[in-house]
Amino acid sequence: MKVDSVLIVGSGSAGLIAALSLKKKLPHLKVIVVSSSRLGIIGVGEGTVPYVVNFIHQYLGMDECRFFQEVDPVYKLGVRLNWGSRDYFDYTFSQNQWAFQAPDLGRPSGFFAQHGHHGIDLPGALMEHKNALPTRGAGFPDLPPAGSLVAWHLENKSFVAWLDRACEEAGVTMIDGEIESVEQADDGSVKRLLLRDGRRLSAALFVDASGFRSE
């Protein structure tokens, strides 16, 4: 079956990231997002891992400067755990935190963590000295490709607003409406959506990003 159109239900971060990704990678694809403005946006903090940073800036190629101007995320190097027999323990996002082996050591760094664990890798050293990021010249933070060590904590409303603008600029069709019912084909697959205002929407592929409602 040739997929030439995708309809996504839900305009939270999951639905909009799906829409933006499809449209950026397959510009010819007709991508529609359906959601109700009456539902509003959840105003909470959103935690990420480095894969999200790389996905937005590297894979999708979204402008780094504009993102930081509009979303204003907080950098995350890892998680500091304040419990247990140690004074604290820094778990960083680096995959080499405990696998790195210095030339003069006979074992990976994780072997020696029982004796000393502060600042074992670059993110750990930055956390230890209460610094955010290294710089790449002119005072700019060192983000991807070194961004594999960095994640974000951001405000969900700002993130969703940025995603919404990015989707519209990419050519995603945004429809404000509430789903009345879902019409299914004989094989049980979704055939079309019926909105409360009478509109009927069909597509070759449907993505449910409506969260707990599972529209």
Side-chain angles (χ1 to χ4, degrees):
M1 181 182 69
K2 180 181 179 182
V3 175
D4 56 5
S5 59
V6 178
L7 193 153
I8 299 170
V9 178
S11 61
S13 56
L16 294 179
I17 288 175
L20 180 61
S21 303
L22 288 167
K23 197 62 180 175
K24 290 285 286 185
K25 291 300 179 179
L26 301 168
H28 65 280
L29 196 65
K30 181 180 180 181
V31 180
I32 301 170
V33 174
V34 179
S35 64
S36 172
S37 58
R38 293 199 316 115
L39 295 176
I41 301 173
I42 300 175
V44 297
E46 191 88 29
T48 72
V49 292
Y51 297 111
V52 178
V53 181
N54 290 338
F55 186 84
I56 294 294
H57 292 319
Q58 296 292 316
Y59 184 73
L60 295 185
M62 304 306 293
D63 184 72
E64 177 184 326
C65 182
R66 182 178 174 184
F67 180 89
F68 280 87
Q69 288 176 337
E70 297 183 10
V71 182
D72 193 25
V74 175
Y75 296 117
K76 289 174 61 178
L77 294 167
V79 180
R80 174 161 290 184
L81 307 175
N82 293 300
W83 54 267
S85 58
R86 305 170 188 261
D87 47 356
Y88 59 87
F89 178 79
D90 290 335
Y91 177 81
T92 72
F93 295 126
S94 170
Q95 296 181 350
N96 293 322
Q97 183 179 17
W98 306 113
F100 171 75
Q101 184 169 330
D104 295 333
L105 297 178
R107 296 177 181 270
S109 55
F111 180 81
F112 305 97
Q114 187 67 30
H115 305 286
H117 58 91
H118 299 317
I120 286 182
D121 60 353
L122 175 59
L126 290 167
M127 292 176 69
E128 179 70 18
H129 293 282
K130 296 182 172 58
N131 291 323
L133 293 171
T135 60
R136 59 183 175 195
F140 291 104
D142 192 6
L143 289 172
S148 58
L149 306 178
V150 179
W152 295 322
H153 193 84
L154 38 78
E155 170 57 47
N156 189 56
K157 284 187 177 181
S158 300
F159 187 41
V160 169
W162 176 84
L163 285 168
D164 188 78
R165 288 189 292 271
C167 282
E168 290 190 356
E169 292 171 2
V172 175
T173 301
M174 313 295 287
I175 294 180
D176 187 355
E178 297 182 50
I179 298 175
E180 178 69 28
S181 62
V182 179
E183 185 177 333
Q184 294 179 296
D186 294 337
D187 62 359
S189 61
V190 177
K191 189 174 182 180
R192 63 176 60 90
L193 304 180
L194 176 63
L195 303 186
R196 290 186 180 179
D197 60 10
R199 285 178 291 178
R200 301 161 71 89
L201 305 176
S202 59
L205 178 67
F206 293 84
V207 178
D208 188 344
S210 61
F212 292 116
R213 300 191 314 278
S214 300
E215 295 279 4

